[in-house]
Amino acid sequence: MRVTSMMKNTMILGNIRRNNADILDWQNKLSTGQKISKPSDDPVGIGYQMRYTTELARNEQYLENANTGYGWLSQTDTVLQQGQTILQRLNTLTNQAANGTVTPEVREMIRLEVQQLKEQMIQIGNSSYDGRFIFNGQRTDVKPYSVDDAENDTTDSGKYYLNISPSVSVEVSLTGEQVFGKAGSPDNVFALFERIENELTASDTEALSNSLDDIGKAVERLSYSLAEVGARMNRFELVQNRIADEKLSLTQLKSQVADVDMADALIQLQLQQNVLQASLSVSAKIIQTSMLDYIR
Amino acid sequence: MYSTFHGLETSKRGVLTQSVALNTVGHNISNAATTGYTRQRVNMQAAEAIYVPGYTRANTPGQLGTGVQYDSITRIRDSYLDMQFRRETQELGKNTVLNATFESLQSIINEPSNTGVSAIMDGFWNSLEVLNRDPNLLSARVDFISKAQNMADTFNKIGTSLNTLEQDVEANIAIKLTQANNLLADIAKMNDTIRKVELTGDHANDYRDTRDLLIDELSKIVDVTYTEDAEGMVSIFSGGVNVVNALQTTPLTAANLPTITGGEIKGYTQSLEEINKVRNQLNALVDTLINGAVDVTMPNGYKTQDIMVAKNAVTVLDETTTPATEIQYNAGDQIPAGSKIISSVTFEVNGFNGLHRLGYALDGTTGLDFFSTKDNSTTFTIDNLVVNPIVKNDTNKVAASGQYLGDFNDPNFVPNAIKGNSDIALGLASLRDVKFTYPSTLTSMSEGTSDDYFRAFVSELGTSASVAKNNYKTSMDLQDNVEVRRQATSGVSIDEELTDLIRFQHAYNASARNMTAIDEMLDRIINGMGLVGR
C-alpha cells in the first residue's frame, strides 16, 4: 500500500479528534457529576431519571398532606379529649345534683358551672386548625356553633379529603353533627346541656337521674369519634413512614440512573488521556521522519 | 548506416526528458500539502528505434535505440474513489447539519434540569396539591396561578426558541443554495477551460484537480451524480435537475428543495421536519391537557348549575322538600340544573379548562376558563398558551370549589361558593394521573398521562439525537476512510518523490556523461585521426 503524508495527517487528525471528544465527554460527566446531561446521552435513562425526580417532588407534597392531616387530627384529638373531660365533669355534677339532699344554693352553683361547661363545649365545637373551623365540613370559613342556639345549629356535611398517593385520598374531618349529635335532636350535646340546666332550675332530681343515661350516650359518641380520629392518625403516620422509605429508595434509584460513578469516570478519563498522549507523541515522531533525513 | 551524431541526439533526448521528469517531481513536492492535488507522472517510453522495416533499411543488425521520449504528463487518480468520497461527503454534510439541529433542540428542551418543562410541570401539579390542602388560603391561590403562569411562560419560551431555530435553518438554506449555484457556475467555467486545453491533445491536470475539488465541495451541499463527455466536460445532476450541462448551468431554487436527497441542504430540510415534529408533539401535549376529553370522578359529588349528564348512577339530594329526599339518576340521564349530587360522580370534561369551568370561584363565578390563548384561538399551542387574564388578575376567580350555597332556581339567587370545598381542585390535581388520548395528526404517541407523554417525548428526542450523533461520527469516519484511500492513490508521497528525484537526477547526470563520452569519441575521430608520423 502506498502511504502518503496527507494520509498520515488525515488519520492522525481523525484519531486525535476522537480521543479529544471522549475526553470532553468524561470531563463533562466528572465536572457535573451527572451521567446524563442531555437526552441523547441515555434516551431510556432520562425517562427514568425524570420519573424519579417527579415522584420525589410529588412525595414532598404527599408528605406535606400527611403532615397537615396529622396536625388537623391531633388538634381534633386534643379538643375531643377536652370535650370528654367536660362531659365527665357534667356527669359528676349531674350525679351530685340528682341527689335529693343537695341544697338549692349548691344546685344553683352547679347550674352556673353547667352553664360554663356548655360554653366551653361550644368553644370546642368552634375549634379551628390553621384558621379553619374543624367541625364545619367544607365551610371552614364559617363558625359552626352560635352561643345562643348551638343545639339547633347545623354543620356542613361536606368532607375534607387529602391525597396520600396518586388517586388515593383519605377523609380527614369529622362534622360537628357526627361528634355532637344532630341539630335539633334531643341527642345533641348542647341540647343535653340545655336540658340539664333546665332540670337544675326546676330541681327535678328524677329527670336529672334520667339525663345521666344521655350523658353516657354522648360520652360514647365522643369516644367513638376519638377512636375514629386515632385510627386516621395512625393511617397518616403510616403514610409518613412509607413516604420516608420511598424517598430513600427513589433517591437510590435516581442516583443509579443519573449519578456518575466517580471512580470509574476518573479511570476512564485517565485512560483516554493516556491514549491521547500516546497518539500525540507517536504522531509527532512519525510526521518528522522522512527520507530527507537520510539523503545528503 | 546511422548518423555520426546519433549518440549526441540520444543523450540530448535523455537530458531533456529527465529534466521534464525532475520538474514534475518538483511540482509534486511543492503541492504535497495542496487540497485536491493529484500527483502527476511523466509517461516516458523508449523512442522509436532504427531501422523501421523498409527498402531503405541498412544491412546492419538492429534495431538501434534512439533514446527516450515522453508522450504525456498525466494525473494518477481513481474516479471510483471520487464517487465514493462524494457519496460519503453528501452523508457527512447532511448528518453534520442534523446533529447540530438536534443539539439545538436538546438545549431548547433543556432536560434534565431544574428549569425544564418537567420540573416546571411538577411545580404546577404540586401547587394544585397545596390548593387542595387549603382551597381558601390566599397564598395557595397565588402560588397556583404563578406556577401555571410559569408553565405557560416556559412553553412560550420553547415556542419562541423553536421559531428562531426554524428561521435560522431557513436562512441557511438560502445561503447554501447560493453557494451551490456559485460552485455550478465555476464548474461550467472549468468545463470550458478543460475542453480548450484538451482539444490540443494535452492533459489539463491541474484544471481537472480544480474541477474535482469544486465537485467535492458541491457534494457537501447537495446530492451529486455526474458523467463526463468525450470532450472532457462534466454534466452534473443534483436534486434530479441537470444543473451543469457542458457550458450551461441551471441554478437550484427553493422549488428544488423537496427533490434534493443529500448534502447540507437535505440536512436542513430534514431539520425543518424535526423542528416541526417537536413543536407538534408539544402542541399536542398542551392542547390535550387543556382541551382533551377525559373522564373525571369527583368522589364527594358536585352541585350543578347546568343540565348535566353523568357517566355513572348518582344520587341527588332534593333540599326543597322537608325532610330532604334523595332522587336517583342512572348513567346517561339528564340531571337538572341546581341539583346537589351527593354520591360520587363521573363527568366527561374537556381537559383542564373543561373541569375548571365546572368549578365555583370564591365569588361564585363559574364557567371560567383557567387557560386562554393569546390569539383567541380555540386550539392551544405552546406559542399562544397563557393563564386567563381574568383569573390571573383576581385570585378569587380560581374555581376550586364544586359546591355552592342557595337555591339556583330562586330568582333572587346569588352565587356563593363553599370556600372550604376543594372538589374541583382535587379533580384538577387528579388530571395528572389521567390518561389522555393525543391527536394522531400531531404525534405518534397515542395515550398516556401528561407526565408519561412528556417523558416519552424527551426519550424520543434523545433517541433521534443519539442516532443523529452516531450517524455524524460514522460518516465522518467513513469520509476519512475514503479520503485516506484516495490519498493512497493520488496523494504525494515525499519519500517516493525523493526517490524519483534521485532516480531522474542520476539518469540526467548519466545522459550528460554519455554525451561527454560521445563528444570525446568525435573529438578523437575529428582531431586525433589522420596525423600518423606528423
Side-chain angles (χ1 to χ4, degrees):
Chain A
M1 182 187 176
R2 263 186 100 239
V3 177
T4 67
S5 41
M6 290 274 261
M7 272 165 81
K8 289 184 204 162
N9 279 10
T10 309
M11 285 175 89
I12 288 166
L13 282 176
N15 289 333
I16 291 176
R17 185 185 67 220
R18 273 189 290 275
N19 287 338
N20 273 324
D22 285 348
I23 286 179
L24 190 73
D25 195 31
W26 284 109
Q27 268 176 351
N28 186 33
K29 281 179 183 166
L30 273 168
S31 56
T32 56
Q34 298 289 309
K35 249 191 249 176
I36 305 173
S37 60
K38 50 184 183 306
S40 62
D41 291 342
D42 184 355
V44 179
I46 192 170
Y48 283 109
Q49 184 183 350
M50 284 164 73
R51 175 183 292 278
Y52 298 142
T53 311
T54 299
E55 291 295 319
L56 280 169
R58 289 189 87 170
N59 268 352
E60 284 301 308
Q61 287 307 317
Y62 291 132
L63 186 64
E64 194 54 41
N65 281 351
N67 291 344
T68 306
Y70 193 82
W72 177 291
L73 288 165
S74 309
Q75 172 74 355
T76 312
D77 188 69
T78 310
V79 298
L80 287 185
Q81 276 178 19
Q82 285 169 6
Q84 221 161 20
T85 316
I86 291 170
L87 286 179
Q88 272 156 14
R89 179 71 188 148
L90 180 68
N91 193 41
T92 316
L93 290 175
T94 312
N95 225 337
Q96 215 178 333
N99 191 334
T101 60
V102 175
T103 63
E105 289 80 26
V106 175
R107 199 167 277 141
E108 176 60 12
M109 272 165 68
I110 290 175
R111 190 188 71 80
L112 285 174
E113 195 177 340
V114 169
Q115 208 171 10
Q116 287 297 316
L117 288 177
K118 183 191 176 190
E119 273 168 33
Q120 274 184 38
M121 205 62 172
I122 291 173
Q123 256 179 26
I124 285 172
N126 288 338
S127 306
S128 64
Y129 175 74
D130 214 6
R132 292 189 281 172
F133 294 103
I134 55 180
F135 293 119
N136 202 17
Q138 294 175 339
R139 301 189 65 191
T140 50
D141 55 328
V142 179
K143 204 182 257 189
Y145 292 107
S146 61
V147 179
D148 303 332
D149 197 19
E151 58 268 32
N152 291 319
D153 283 329
T154 54
T155 56
D156 184 57
S157 59
K159 284 161 190 162
Y160 176 44
Y161 282 91
L162 283 171
N163 290 333
I164 52 163
S165 67
S167 64
V168 177
S169 43
V170 173
E171 206 176 317
V172 182
S173 64
L174 295 172
T175 67
E177 291 184 61
Q178 250 177 312
V179 179
F180 303 108
K182 278 216 172 313
S185 117
D187 279 353
N188 189 291
V189 174
F190 305 108
L192 180 65
F193 274 100
E194 194 71 23
R195 200 161 66 239
I196 291 174
E197 229 178 293
N198 289 337
E199 287 162 359
L200 284 168
T201 317
S203 301
D204 187 345
T205 51
E206 198 186 319
L208 279 170
S209 300
N210 291 340
S211 292
L212 284 171
D213 285 349
D214 294 336
I215 295 174
K217 279 182 200 155
V219 170
E220 208 173 295
R221 192 167 52 218
L222 214 57
S223 302
Y224 182 79
S225 297
L226 264 170
E228 176 77 40
V229 167
R232 288 182 193 175
M233 278 170 83
N234 277 342
R235 184 153 183 200
F236 277 112
E237 219 173 339
L238 282 175
V239 168
Q240 283 170 333
N241 293 337
R242 192 204 71 206
I243 290 175
D245 288 350
E246 266 184 21
K247 192 175 169 182
L248 192 69
S249 64
L250 280 172
T251 312
Q252 262 175 4
L253 285 169
K254 186 184 161 194
S255 170
Q256 277 170 14
V257 178
D259 294 348
V260 168
D261 179 348
M262 283 292 172
D264 182 43
L266 279 168
I267 291 170
Q268 292 290 344
L269 179 64
Q270 194 57 53
L271 206 70
Q272 296 295 340
Q273 270 172 347
N274 290 345
V275 172
L276 178 67
Q277 264 169 14
S279 72
L280 282 176
S281 79
V282 169
S283 306
K285 278 179 191 149
I286 292 176
I287 286 182
Q288 270 177 9
T289 321
S290 93
M291 193 179 251
L292 278 172
D293 299 327
Y294 303 101
I295 57 176
R296 282 168 291 115
Chain B
M1 269 297 283
Y2 54 86
S3 159
T4 313
F5 301 116
H6 179 94
L8 281 180
E9 193 59 33
T10 302
S11 300
K12 190 187 91 185
R13 280 182 178 171
V15 169
L16 289 178
T17 306
Q18 298 308 331
S19 79
V20 168
L22 278 169
N23 283 330
T24 303
V25 167
H27 185 52
N28 281 342
I29 292 178
S30 308
N31 284 299
T34 307
T35 317
Y37 181 77
T38 313
R39 70 185 166 116
Q40 295 174 12
R41 192 168 60 188
V42 178
N43 296 312
M44 289 186 241
Q45 63 184 63
E48 204 167 308
I50 54 178
Y51 291 99
V52 291
Y55 291 114
T56 58
R57 186 185 172 281
N59 279 329
T60 51
Q63 291 176 300
L64 176 65
T66 62
V68 68
Q69 66 177 29
Y70 70 97
D71 53 9
S72 63
I73 302 175
T74 51
R75 307 189 298 165
I76 299 178
R77 194 165 177 121
D78 184 347
S79 60
Y80 174 62
L81 286 174
D82 279 341
M83 268 164 63
Q84 279 191 335
F85 181 80
R86 284 162 194 161
R87 202 165 52 228
E88 297 307 341
T89 308
Q90 285 168 34
E91 280 296 297
L92 178 61
K94 185 182 88 179
N95 290 329
T96 308
V97 169
L98 268 177
N99 183 44
T101 303
F102 274 111
E103 291 286 322
S104 305
L105 283 175
Q106 289 191 98
S107 54
I108 289 172
I109 297 306
N110 191 19
E111 292 289 349
S113 82
N114 296 328
T115 50
V117 170
S118 176
I120 300 294
M121 282 184 73
D122 281 352
F124 170 70
W125 291 117
N126 287 343
S127 72
L128 267 168
E129 208 62 61
V130 178
L131 184 68
N132 181 35
R133 205 149 57 220
D134 193 350
N136 201 12
L137 192 68
L138 180 63
S139 60
R141 289 168 171 265
V142 170
D143 182 50
F144 172 50
I145 290 176
S146 68
K147 291 287 162 58
Q149 182 67 36
N150 202 355
M151 184 172 87
D153 287 348
T154 306
F155 280 122
N156 291 167
K157 187 161 173 301
I158 289 177
T160 314
S161 303
L162 287 178
N163 291 342
T164 313
L165 183 62
E166 197 172 55
Q167 282 157 16
D168 290 352
V169 168
E170 275 162 1
N172 276 349
I173 289 179
I175 293 169
K176 289 293 165 190
L177 279 175
T178 314
Q179 276 183 9
N181 289 336
N182 288 343
L183 288 171
L184 296 179
D186 290 348
I187 292 169
K189 263 184 228 156
M190 291 316 294
N191 269 348
D192 187 35
T193 314
I194 290 167
R195 183 184 61 132
K196 283 176 183 159
V197 170
E198 299 199 342
L199 272 176
T200 66
D202 284 349
H203 291 272
N205 294 329
D206 295 321
Y207 290 131
R208 277 178 175 271
D209 280 352
T210 309
R211 189 175 67 186
D212 280 334
L213 191 61
L214 289 171
I215 300 175
D216 284 354
E217 278 173 33
L218 184 66
S219 70
K220 195 178 167 201
I221 304 175
V222 288
D223 59 302
V224 165
T225 50
Y226 52 92
T227 52
E228 193 176 317
D229 66 14
E231 288 181 298
M233 294 193 286
V234 290
S235 177
I236 298 182
F237 289 84
S238 291
V241 181
N242 190 357
V243 283
V244 177
N245 183 14
L247 306 176
Q248 298 289 314
T249 58
T250 312
L252 289 167
T253 63
N256 303 120
L257 291 178
T259 50
I260 291 174
T261 58
E264 288 170 327
I265 290 183
K266 174 65 181 172
Y268 283 120
T269 50
Q270 213 167 319
S271 293
L272 286 179
E273 285 168 26
E274 295 296 344
I275 295 168
N276 211 25
K277 186 175 162 195
V278 164
R279 188 191 288 120
N280 280 341
Q281 285 178 331
L282 289 175
N283 283 346
L285 171 67
V286 169
D287 192 51
T288 308
L289 179 62
I290 295 169
N291 266 340
V294 75
D295 289 350
V296 173
T297 302
M298 284 180 278
N300 305 330
Y302 172 73
K303 193 164 177 181
T304 63
Q305 271 199 10
D306 227 328
I307 298 167
M308 295 191 69
V309 175
K311 300 197 97 180
N312 61 337
V314 297
T315 311
V316 167
L317 190 70
D318 184 2
E319 290 170 308
T320 54
T321 60
T322 324
T325 48
E326 291 186 354
I327 310 167
Q328 303 293 332
Y329 289 93
N330 288 328
D333 285 353
Q334 285 203 339
I335 303 166
S339 300
K340 185 174 181 180
I341 301 168
I342 53 168
S343 64
S344 170
V345 57
T346 304
F347 290 123
E348 185 184 282
V349 297
N350 287 329
F352 199 92
N353 266 356
L355 186 54
H356 191 265
R357 279 198 292 270
L358 292 183
Y360 302 106
L362 282 188
D363 60 3
T365 320
T366 187
L368 271 180
D369 282 338
F370 185 75
F371 289 105
S372 61
T373 54
K374 286 177 192 164
D375 51 5
N376 293 324
S377 145
T378 51
T379 310
F380 284 83
T381 67
I382 50 174
D383 295 302
N384 69 13
L385 175 69
V386 282
V387 174
N388 188 350
I390 299 171
V391 179
K392 196 179 144 192
N393 296 333
D394 182 358
T395 52
N396 284 342
K397 300 282 196 223
V398 173
S401 174
Q403 301 276 352
Y404 60 93
L405 296 170
D407 181 5
F408 176 71
N409 298 316
D410 182 345
N412 300 322
F413 168 70
V414 181
N416 187 6
I418 294 187
K419 292 171 183 164
N421 180 299
S422 62
D423 290 345
I424 297 295
L426 185 73
L428 290 175
S430 77
L431 288 182
R432 184 176 197 175
D433 295 304
V434 164
K435 286 191 173 160
F436 288 94
T437 308
Y438 300 92
S440 56
T441 47
L442 293 179
T443 171
S444 56
M445 288 170 273
S446 56
E447 202 192 58
T449 68
S450 56
D451 282 351
D452 276 348
Y453 181 91
F454 187 72
R455 281 194 288 264
F457 160 76
V458 171
S459 284
E460 193 187 325
L461 178 64
T463 310
S464 306
S466 156
V467 168
K469 192 174 181 180
N470 285 337
N471 285 346
Y472 167 64
K473 280 184 179 169
T474 310
S475 43
M476 198 144 62
D477 288 348
L478 283 175
Q479 199 214 26
D480 275 1
N481 204 331
V482 180
E483 173 64 8
V484 163
R485 276 156 61 204
R486 205 159 73 152
Q487 288 296 326
T489 310
S490 305
V492 176
S493 160
I494 301 280
D495 294 343
E496 191 182 81
E497 296 301 326
L498 287 173
T499 317
D500 280 351
L501 180 79
I502 293 166
R503 187 154 65 103
F504 297 137
Q505 198 182 358
H506 280 311
Y508 180 92
N509 289 345
S511 292
R513 174 57 56 88
N514 192 42
M515 193 182 282
T516 316
I518 306 273
D519 179 42
E520 280 175 8
M521 270 163 56
L522 291 175
D523 181 52
R524 173 67 56 197
I525 288 174
I526 297 166
N527 297 322
M529 278 173 68
L531 298 174
V532 176
R534 194 177 284 177

